[in-house]
Amino acid sequence: MIIYTDRFTNDDMFSDAFRPKSVGITYEVDCEMVYENDDGDNFNLNNGEAEEVGGEVQVSKKRVPDVAKFNGLQEIFIEKKKEYKVYVKPYVKALIEQVKKDDPERVNEFKKGSEDLVSKVLANFDKYQFFVGRSNDFAGMLVLLSYREDGITPYLTFFKDGLKANKV
């Protein structure tokens, strides 16, 4: 098994069990939305499981991506494009420096890919949710949640160069 961790914070992001798809400079990971109960247990939105407590069925209203839940990703609320730019600009700059060290020939490819991704997010800003790692360290990756063209299938987007692959 391979566990992908954040290059800067060492937070777990996802494992290869979620079958990441390589898309340009990113990995996309399809996920399912699950309910998160107050006690931290979850049940799948699609199979309708619920917990009975004291003769009553208790259902949490909060839905989270299973990948985020199982890896401790924390949702953060970015309400304005300007806030997103403030966060993503220094992060992409740090990744460019990392790519320069790791594989200098890929710098232009990474710059172009990151510009395209940031532009896509800004153009569709209201269609994204944002997550950070368990540590809530904003020096780490900002994970993007959006939905496929079908409007039903959620997926998370991760910068490849912001990850370390750890075989366990």
Side-chain angles (χ1 to χ4, degrees):
M1 172 183 273
I2 298 173
I3 297 176
Y4 294 88
T5 58
D6 186 295
R7 174 179 297 281
F8 301 117
T9 66
N10 292 315
D11 291 331
D12 289 352
M13 294 282 123
F14 63 93
S15 75
D16 61 347
F18 287 102
R19 297 185 292 265
K21 297 175 187 121
S22 179
V23 180
I25 64 161
T26 66
Y27 285 120
E28 291 181 355
V29 179
D30 287 341
C31 50
E32 293 183 35
M33 299 303 283
V34 294
Y35 284 112
E36 180 183 72
N37 291 338
D38 293 337
D39 64 1
D41 292 336
N42 1 270
F43 60 92
N44 189 301
L45 173 65
N46 299 321
N47 68 17
E49 293 176 13
E51 184 176 335
E52 188 173 331
V53 177
E56 295 181 23
V57 176
Q58 296 196 346
V59 178
S60 171
K61 302 286 186 207
K62 184 173 177 160
R63 295 172 22 169
V64 296
D66 57 354
V67 177
K69 173 65 180 166
F70 299 139
N71 291 283
L73 303 182
Q74 307 294 312
E75 185 172 9
I76 61 169
F77 297 95
I78 299 177
E79 297 178 4
K80 298 179 182 176
K81 292 178 182 181
K82 184 178 179 180
E83 293 173 41
Y84 173 70
K85 289 180 193 177
V86 165
Y87 177 85
V88 78
K89 186 176 180 180
Y91 180 74
V92 168
K93 186 176 180 179
L95 284 182
I96 289 170
E97 292 304 313
Q98 191 63 49
V99 173
K100 282 180 184 176
K101 291 178 191 171
D102 295 344
D103 190 358
E105 294 178 12
R106 288 190 48 253
V107 170
N108 289 335
E109 170 194 350
F110 179 81
K111 284 182 180 179
K112 171 79 170 102
S114 60
E115 288 170 9
D116 291 347
L117 179 60
V118 170
S119 294
K120 178 181 172 183
V121 171
L122 291 172
N124 301 286
F125 188 76
D126 55 343
K127 295 181 180 179
Y128 284 92
Q129 289 172 257
F130 305 94
F131 292 81
V132 294
R134 181 182 308 269
S135 68
N136 277 314
D137 185 339
F138 288 89
M141 186 179 309
L142 185 64
V143 180
L144 307 170
L145 171 69
S146 192
Y147 288 82
R148 299 269 179 223
E149 294 75 26
D150 64 10
I152 298 170
T153 308
Y155 70 98
L156 295 167
T157 302
F158 302 84
F159 280 99
K160 286 181 193 174
D161 293 289
L163 298 168
K164 294 184 289 186
N166 304 294
K167 193 168 184 164
V168 292

